[in-house]
Amino acid sequence: MKQPSILFEDKDILVCFKPAGMPVQTKSLGSMDLEHYLKNHLLRQMRKEGISPKQPPYLAIIHRLDQPVSGILVFAKTPDAAKKLNSQMQSDGFTKEYEAITCGLFRKTSGTIINYLVKDGRTNTSSICQKDTPGAKQAELSYHVVNSFPEKKLTQVRIRLKTGRHHQIRVQMAGNQTPLWGDNKYNPEFSDKKGYFPIALCARHLEFVHPATGEKLSYEIACEWPQI
């Protein structure tokens, strides 16, 4: 597994790359998650500056990526930054673009997919449902095809989220008959893969407004895929 890397940091925020395989946050003893990896980084910085903290440094999780998914995340280093970033999240102030490899070919080169999803907390999965299903939430994304591989029946596609639902891209792509390569929860082709398995999904682009300066920030990475 690759190590996380910090793309930008100042006194208010920290933008980093999360590798596939590392959870953002976990309760498993002995497992390193991104939250504690970054807190350790902040502790090392404080000690270099001669500061001996009496408690762990402040770090707020603003949004998440599933453990098998790689990509860009922003964290807040102060309560005020966390409040303002969360407000942006709630008001669609974040622009998030993903890249994926899907099993199956798209009928159109671009489009919008709208469904209603319901989460099952017992199995940690979501599914497409009717609008009047208890707990149903509308999910919307747009996509455009970057490249098609008809001989392998695979597609490289970029996806922008309008909403942020649990497992949204994974569920909606599966419902579109183009499930993600490597997804052992929603792609029957990989259902025999138990535990962690890398998914060909990457949060490649993130835009938001800096919570202190008001500057519009934009970050982008090149996605790397497992052997497909």
Side-chain angles (χ1 to χ4, degrees), residues 116-127:
Y116 284 87
L117 306 185
V118 63
K119 180 180 177 180
D120 185 339
R122 296 170 300 174
T123 60
N124 191 34
T125 59
S126 290
S127 59

Side-chain angles (χ1 to χ4, degrees), residues 129-198:
C129 64
Q130 298 297 317
K131 181 178 180 178
D132 58 357
T133 300
K137 295 182 178 180
Q138 183 171 310
E140 180 177 345
L141 59 78
S142 61
Y143 70 87
H144 73 271
V145 172
V146 177
N147 211 343
S148 293
F149 307 95
E151 68 285 357
K152 294 184 177 181
K153 295 184 179 179
L154 298 175
T155 303
Q156 180 183 4
V157 62
R158 287 186 180 168
I159 299 163
R160 287 207 172 193
L161 289 177
K162 176 67 175 177
T163 55
R165 307 304 181 201
H166 177 255
H167 291 178
Q168 180 178 336
I169 293 175
R170 299 166 66 178
V171 176
Q172 289 195 280
M173 287 293 108
N176 190 55
Q177 305 305 310
T178 51
L180 301 185
W181 187 96
D183 193 341
N184 59 3
K185 285 193 173 184
Y186 302 103
N187 188 343
E189 184 177 340
F190 293 87
S191 60
D192 61 336
K193 305 290 185 181
K194 304 302 180 184
Y196 163 74
F197 195 76

